[in-house]
């Protein structure tokens, strides 16, 4: 019998898989992005924009990324079919940051970079048609700002009413003193 043995990965590839696995577990959100046919100038531009938006961009071989997903604690199998072509992974703490960045390119009618899939807020988003949804997800800071604004509105109304009441009371008090003079 001629049984074919699966070759073990060379140690440098095992190191890359381990690094990818660590990065995947270190970030709560990541996007798989198609960067096929981007030249070095376009890639450098994307890297700069990612850096400014606190996004870590990693270009990885699909087979190594697949192995890193398999080695992770979370079942990333819904993403496996997206591992085709040249893939960059955008890791982020802010769920919508890569979505907004990719939407800029989509709005300019550029083919790439394009969304393949994403893991955001413990959910899977598959396909470029999910980009608008991902870009519109509110970040934690945006949600906090919305809540603070909602809480401040009634407080402002109360303060304003109290200030108006004080002003009217001050007017009534000052009228008799002007009549005496």
């Amino acid at each position: 019998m001629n049984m074919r043995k699966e070759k073990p990965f060379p140690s440098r590839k095992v190191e890359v898989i381990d690094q990818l696995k660590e990065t995947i577990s270190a970030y709560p959100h990541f996007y798989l992005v198609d960067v096929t046919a981007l030249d070095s100038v376009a890639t450098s531009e994307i890297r700069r924009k990612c850096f400014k938006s606190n996004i870590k961009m990693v270009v990885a071989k699909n087979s190594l990324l697949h192995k890193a997903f398999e080695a992770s604690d979370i079942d990333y199998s819904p993403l496996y079919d997206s591992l085709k072509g040249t893939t960059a992974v955008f890791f982020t703490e802010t769920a919508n940051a890569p979505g907004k960045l990719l939407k800029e390119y989509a709005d300019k009618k550029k083919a790439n970079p394009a969304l393949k899939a994403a893991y955001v807020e413990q959910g899977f988003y598959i396909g470029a048609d999910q980009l608008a949804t991902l870009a519109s997800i509110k970040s934690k800071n945006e949600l906090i700002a919305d809540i603070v604004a909602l809480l401040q509105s009634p407080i402002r109304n109360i303060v304003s009413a109290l200030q108006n009441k004080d002003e009217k009371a001050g007017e009534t008090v000052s009228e008799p003193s002007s009549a005496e003079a």
Side-chain angles (χ1 to χ4, degrees):
M1 278 194 209
N2 186 6
M3 295 189 82
R4 187 175 167 186
K5 289 184 180 178
E6 190 174 314
K7 292 181 187 178
F9 277 109
S11 62
R12 70 183 186 285
K13 289 188 177 182
V14 172
E15 288 175 22
V16 171
I17 292 168
D18 289 343
Q19 287 174 342
L20 285 169
K21 181 184 169 199
E22 286 176 26
T23 307
I24 289 167
S25 63
Y27 286 88
H29 318 288
F30 63 85
Y31 288 55
L32 300 178
V33 180
D34 184 1
V35 290
T36 305
L38 289 180
D39 61 15
S40 61
V41 173
T43 303
S44 293
E45 177 189 337
I46 292 167
R47 285 187 186 279
R48 273 191 301 278
K49 288 184 177 185
C50 284
F51 181 77
K52 286 179 184 176
S53 300
N54 293 322
I55 299 167
K56 180 176 183 172
M57 179 182 169
V58 176
V59 178
K61 293 187 91 168
N62 291 324
S63 59
L64 300 180
L65 194 52
H66 191 280
K67 291 286 184 191
F69 284 153
E70 286 177 338
S72 296
D73 296 334
I74 297 171
D75 177 15
Y76 291 112
S77 59
L79 302 175
Y80 295 167
D81 288 340
S82 300
L83 298 176
K84 295 177 180 127
T86 307
T87 305
V89 188
F90 288 8
F91 294 100
T92 183
E93 296 286 337
T94 307
N96 64 358
K100 288 179 178 180
L101 178 63
L102 292 171
K103 193 163 180 342
E104 283 179 31
Y105 286 94
D107 290 345
K108 294 177 186 175
K109 305 286 188 233
K110 293 193 176 186
N112 285 332
L115 176 70
K116 290 182 177 186
Y119 179 74
V120 174
E121 302 292 347
Q122 292 106 29
F124 296 98
Y125 297 82
I126 311 297
D129 60 328
Q130 297 293 315
L131 185 57
T133 303
L134 289 165
S136 67
I137 291 175
K138 293 201 177 210
S139 70
K140 181 180 177 182
N141 288 341
E142 289 170 330
L143 288 173
I144 290 170
D146 286 352
I147 291 169
V148 168
L150 287 171
L151 293 173
Q152 283 181 340
S153 181
I155 293 170
R156 282 189 189 131
N157 291 341
I158 292 170
V159 169
S160 176
L162 290 173
Q163 286 175 340
N164 287 339
K165 185 177 178 183
D166 287 345
E167 287 173 7
K168 287 182 181 177
E171 287 174 8
T172 349
V173 170
S174 57
E175 283 179 14
S177 62
S178 63
E180 292 175 5

